[in-house]
Amino acid sequence: MKKIAAVLLAACLTCSVALAADADDAGKGVVKMEKIVQTAGRDRLGDFAPEFARYNDDILFGEVWNRQAELSLRDRSLITVSGLMGLGITDSSLKFHIANAKKHGVTRREMVDTVTQLAFYLGWPKAWAVFPMVREVYGDDTSGTPQAEIKTQPMEKQTAGRTRLGNLAPQFARYNDDILFGEVWARNKVLSPHDRSMITIAGMMGANLLGSAFNSHLNMGKAHGITKTEIVEIITQMGFYTGWPKAWAAFGMAKEVYKD
């Protein structure tokens, strides 16, 4: 009888440890990884362009999208939507990736704020073109809570507009300092500074905005917690969506920003 009781006690203790480990993982925000399997390339182009179909299904989705330990599916979805918006792609492929983002946990509020922020960087017409797709995909869905803000240093007050353009274009300077940074970037409970830096970098790659402003946003992204591993994954994935030459240009700058 004592032996049976000892076995039962050991079993209960083992269960408790397992439950505690699960609870601990949940508390740390550990996300169960989902294996991405893509067949669209072979389904649509297998007979016509078999090598491209293989690169699409086995490399872009089979490898890149499955490196979820380096960059989550949520983040990969956000940067893909941002990169396509930068390219001006507003066809079914963008709608697919908006739906993919919803599937991977991006809430309606997060998607709306993504498009809102990118309107300043990529232009108002692109935002007007994208919002109907967002409305169609999300509808009245208000479920889900935006991801908790990643703990980084608070946003510094922006003064570049007034410093550089205050005398020439005071209204634009005000919109830059007080609206884009003072309001949009400051909504950290919808998208974290980390998120906002990711989507800005991806959107600017799509639009081929790879000058000094892009370099500034790489530095800002690093300050907002984007790691070397993450920036490498962001640029690598964007290479497929926005083009290899842009990835080469972006890597040249990122290498300098993250050299330490």
Side-chain angles (χ1 to χ4, degrees):
M1 189 69 176
K2 289 182 180 180
K3 288 184 179 180
I4 295 174
V7 170
L8 290 173
L9 178 59
C12 289
L13 287 173
T14 302
C15 292
S16 298
V17 170
L19 290 171
D22 290 343
D24 187 50
D25 284 347
K28 291 178 181 177
V30 173
V31 178
K32 184 178 180 181
M33 293 187 185
E34 168 195 345
K35 182 169 177 58
I36 300 299
V37 178
Q38 178 63 273
T39 62
R42 290 183 173 88
D43 291 345
R44 300 181 188 180
L45 294 171
D47 295 335
F48 182 72
E51 289 305 312
F52 176 82
R54 180 172 67 85
Y55 300 146
N56 182 83
D57 296 353
D58 300 346
I59 306 301
L60 174 55
F61 286 93
E63 291 187 14
V64 178
W65 275 85
N66 276 311
R67 284 200 295 271
Q68 296 164 42
E70 289 80 7
L71 197 67
S72 70
L73 291 177
R74 171 192 179 272
D75 292 352
R76 290 185 184 280
S77 292
L78 278 174
I79 64 170
T80 302
V81 169
S82 302
L84 291 177
M85 185 172 167
L87 285 168
I89 301 294
T90 54
D91 60 13
S92 59
S93 62
L94 178 59
K95 185 177 177 182
F96 166 82
H97 281 290
I98 293 172
N100 216 28
K102 180 181 179 182
K103 173 186 173 185
H104 294 145
V106 177
T107 68
R108 189 180 76 171
R109 285 182 63 198
E110 289 172 328
M111 183 58 72
V112 166
D113 227 45
T114 294
V115 178
T116 299
Q117 174 164 325
L118 291 178
F120 285 87
Y121 290 91
L122 307 176
W124 241 240
K126 289 177 181 173
W128 273 104
V130 173
F131 271 129
M133 295 185 185
V134 175
R135 184 189 290 273
E136 188 174 347
V137 169
Y138 282 88
D140 296 328
D141 180 18
T142 57
S143 62
T145 302
Q147 180 171 295
E149 179 182 354
I150 297 172
K151 299 301 180 185
T152 59
Q153 293 181 349
M155 283 290 298
E156 293 183 6
K157 184 176 177 60
Q158 179 63 268
T159 60
R162 289 183 173 89
T163 300
R164 301 180 187 179
L165 295 172
N167 293 329
L168 176 66
Q171 292 304 326
F172 177 83
R174 179 172 67 87
Y175 300 147
N176 182 82
D177 296 352
D178 300 346
I179 305 300
L180 174 54
F181 286 92
E183 291 187 14
V184 179
W185 274 85
R187 287 201 292 272
N188 293 337
K189 293 190 189 249
V190 179
L191 292 170
S192 72
H194 179 279
D195 291 336
R196 292 186 182 281
S197 284
M198 280 198 316
I199 64 172
T200 303
I201 288 167
M204 292 178 79
M205 279 190 70
N208 202 27
L209 300 173
L210 298 172
S212 59
F214 184 77
N215 190 68
S216 295
H217 278 287
L218 284 175
N219 280 285
M220 190 182 296
K222 183 179 180 183
H224 291 156
I226 295 180
T227 66
K228 182 178 179 180
T229 296
E230 288 176 324
I231 199 64
V232 166
E233 285 298 315
I234 290 167
I235 297 173
T236 298
Q237 180 158 327
M238 287 299 96
F240 285 87
Y241 287 96
T242 67
W244 237 240
K246 293 173 185 174
W248 272 102
F251 271 129
M253 295 186 205
K255 194 172 181 180
E256 285 300 307
V257 171
Y258 284 84
K259 61 185 176 182
D260 55 350

